[in-house]
């Protein structure tokens, strides 16, 4: 029972997502379809790329993740199938998968060209419904991805700002903000461990200084800012019982610095 | 495996939709339930009618579409089952199906009167949960629609502003706006083809003039307004990488004119 | 085919809900998962408690309701399994179940301690994904709740403001507002019946006076305020075709008085 997930910028309650589900169920009546989110900001490829990085590996192996954030629909941008680790993805080749592929090489990558698996006629503006949904449905029924088109060597890759690591200092940024206003950064637990570990440390985001990395929110007073390793292994800044993004006035891209004071 | 869909004005995350799903699953534990949208503006029958027109035919034949936009709940308005084309609908008889029935005659139409298929007692204010959900569940298990009540000849029909077609000129309006701010009109590809086809043409919406009908967004510069045939066969106005509704200050009802210039 | 529902404060479209679904499907691929709502205001335990009271009994017996509104995550607050009536709940023990338990004694209550049923490692900040989701998946496959941990006698209980009942007078408050702006109160049909029944009565909310309890919205003029027994058996105040919360400027906690005039 392969699961199909949907990640789009259609907006909550958009009938476009429903049309995709209708197409999938028309081909594979028993399909299990799960919404990851339809709240990607319009055409925000980077936002979706981070959601995929944080969410997709929680799904069963062989899940088919369909991603429709597609500002180039109707140009000659490709649509690809890619297997990354134990998960499958169908997406326009515009960088959506470029956080997932930073650590794991996609294999195979297939450029979708076999139009016999698509709806006909294909509209000029909604390839999520006309190409990606029917292809996902057929894969979930057992179609071999190799049938979908021609093998491809590489995927479009976006530049992601690197985390700067120096002696006793690390500089990253806020890359995602959740509905509680918690700030997710591109500094990971792995980076911290391989540098200096937790312990005495100073975390700064804009004007907000935090004196340590805590284990959890609950240890601190209501209203205080805390830094901790979040549930996806990222350094995260939160305000206990409050909204860190509002309190600190931070947004995506705001700088975050970790510093180990001299002793 | 018949699919049941839900289209309501309950708002995203409303527990009312969950209550309907609970009722359906209580009667038919294996039911496949898909949300079309719960973001119909409160009591906006016309909005829902257009969503149904654009979405419902993407679902498998025999899907049961339950529609709860019901300002008249508790009055003597009927609730009906209607088969329109290859799809089934359960809705209050208030015009919700009146775009679908412009081209296809519903057959049969059954006015729901057999209360043995409803929850008891029926509340005065939530017939979606107490009448429509249990009836949909029973239909999805194979109940014959004829058992639901008495055959009816016609459905309540709303007036829809006609598209005015003159020589070398067509006047319609914006009937729906998607989450990207794209403007959907009531001028269809069919109308354009039977009048003068695509090609040299001028599309105007309020102060915005567009010199041609394009095939897709991608061919144009970021920020430019384009007219194209959208994924549901409607003339659509978009701003590439932007929000046409905001840029043009258009809303539902704004006039749209297509003109073929004299040569 | 046991259903699992999710009620959280993650916000619509949050990838956190998707991660929980991924975990559930990884353990139980055929699981039926239904969203009750993800729109509980952040950390608003009382709001969620009322949603559960009004929605959960519409689901099939033995449904597993997972509730993640968890300001104390990472402290020593317990996570519990509780059977209340014919429904099952998994939630942090912070009062989320304390409206459900006002009439029905939970039996059994199990404090979750058996970590072999959890994901490993357990994050410090997302027990919904790491503890509650895998436990729900295993229960839906038939695991005996007694295996989950140690029996417990009681649940954390929140104080709920009582409805004051005097001769010919009842004082309660608004406890929930739906997407139409309808005001749900803590005065129930049962209370009204056992006091003085419907009929000649005056309902007051802030500056708004209503002269009777009606059967339904539809009997009244557009724009008029009405009081009626809503679909969950609560006294409810609505404005026909409008938004009572805005018109009356009411919010959760606003006082509602029912008075039987002297004759």
């Amino acid at each position: 029972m392969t699961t199909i997930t949907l990640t789009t910028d259609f907006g909550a309650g958009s009938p476009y997502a429903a049309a995709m589900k209708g197409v999938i169920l028309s081909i594979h009546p028993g399909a299990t379809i799960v919404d990851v989110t339809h709240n990607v900001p319009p055409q925000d490829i980077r936002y979706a790329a981070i959601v995929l990085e944080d969410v997709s590996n929680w799904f069963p192996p062989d899940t088919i993740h369909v991603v429709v954030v597609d500002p180039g629909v109707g140009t000659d941008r490709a649509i690809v199938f890619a297997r990354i680790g134990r998960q499958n993805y169908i997406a326009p080749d515009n960088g959506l998968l470029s956080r997932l592929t930073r650590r794991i090489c996609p294999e195979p990558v297939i450029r979708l060209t076999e139009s016999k698996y698509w709806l006909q006629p294909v509209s000029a503006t909604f390839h999520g419904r006309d190409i990606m949904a029917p292809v996902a449905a057929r894969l979930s029924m057992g179609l071999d991805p190799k049938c979908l088109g021609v093998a491809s060597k590489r995927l479009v890759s976006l530049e992601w700002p690197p985390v700067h690591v120096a002696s006793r200092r690390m500089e990253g940024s806020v890359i995602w903000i959740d509905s509680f206003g918690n700030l997710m950064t591109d500094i990971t637990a792995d980076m911290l461990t391989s540098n200096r570990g937790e312990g005495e440390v100073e975390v700064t985001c804009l004007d907000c200084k935090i004196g340590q990395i805590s284990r959890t929110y609950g240890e601190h007073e209501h209203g205080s800012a805390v830094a901790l390793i979040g549930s996806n292994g990222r350094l995260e800044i939160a305000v206990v019982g409050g909204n860190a993004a509002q309190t600190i006035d931070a947004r995506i891209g705001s700088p975050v610095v970790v510093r180990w004071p001299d002793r």
Side-chain angles (χ1 to χ4, degrees), chain A:
Chain A
M1 173 89 72
T2 311
T3 299
I4 297 171
T5 80
L6 303 181
T7 304
T8 81
D9 60 355
F10 298 159
S14 169
Y16 295 146
M20 289 183 64
K21 293 178 190 176
V23 169
I24 291 168
L25 292 168
S26 295
I27 294 171
H28 184 179
T32 299
I33 308 172
V34 176
D35 297 306
V36 167
T37 184
H38 299 291
N39 289 26
V40 174
Q43 313 196 338
D44 192 336
I45 295 168
R46 288 173 183 274
Y47 183 104
I50 291 164
V51 168
L52 292 174
E53 183 182 28
D54 281 358
V55 171
S56 51
N57 285 301
W58 296 104
F59 279 85
D62 304 323
T63 295
I64 300 161
H65 301 281
V66 179
V67 197
V68 192
V69 180
D70 194 11
V73 63
T75 65
D76 61 357
R77 67 94 185 81
I79 299 175
V80 292
F81 168 91
R83 185 165 178 92
I84 305 175
R86 300 163 73 192
Q87 302 285 332
N88 301 312
Y89 300 86
I90 299 171
D93 184 19
N94 59 16
L96 281 166
L97 307 179
S98 68
R99 283 200 71 95
L100 288 161
T101 55
R102 296 199 311 167
R103 297 200 199 160
I104 301 180
C105 186
E107 172 57 35
V109 176
I110 310 280
R111 186 179 165 122
L112 271 52
T113 55
E114 279 294 341
S115 59
K116 71 182 165 205
Y117 299 115
W118 310 350
L119 294 197
Q120 294 301 344
V122 171
S123 71
T125 56
F126 194 3
H127 291 181
R129 181 193 67 197
D130 300 338
I131 299 179
M132 295 185 244
V135 163
R138 292 191 166 99
L139 289 174
S140 75
M141 297 175 81
L143 181 69
D144 185 338
K146 295 206 178 73
C147 302
L148 296 173
V150 295
S152 179
K153 282 286 173 229
R154 32 187 304 213
L155 290 168
V156 167
S157 188
L158 297 179
E159 287 278 310
W160 294 91
V163 175
H164 293 287
V165 178
S167 166
R168 314 188 71 74
R169 190 179 166 89
M170 209 172 278
E171 291 179 29
S173 57
V174 173
I175 58 169
W176 200 72
I177 300 175
D178 74 12
S179 53
F180 301 96
N182 298 330
L183 311 173
M184 315 290 144
T185 76
D186 50 7
I187 299 173
T188 64
D190 290 352
M191 291 176 190
L192 290 167
T193 312
S194 64
N195 198 304
R196 287 298 307 253
E198 304 190 6
E200 197 182 344
V201 71
E202 190 182 80
V203 178
T204 311
C205 177
L206 299 170
D207 293 339
C208 175
K209 272 191 195 158
I210 301 167
Q212 59 172 324
I213 295 177
S214 310
R215 210 183 58 80
T216 185
Y217 315 118
E219 304 161 351
H220 293 270
E221 253 178 78
H222 198 89
S224 59
V226 297
L228 45 74
I229 302 302
S231 60
N232 286 306
R234 303 183 179 290
L235 180 68
E236 191 174 316
I237 296 169
V239 166
V240 179
N243 184 306
Q246 286 171 13
T247 304
I248 304 178
D249 198 18
R251 53 203 70 185
I252 289 175
S254 293
V256 175
V257 178
V258 180
R259 210 170 60 82
W260 286 262
D262 299 331
R263 300 180 201 211

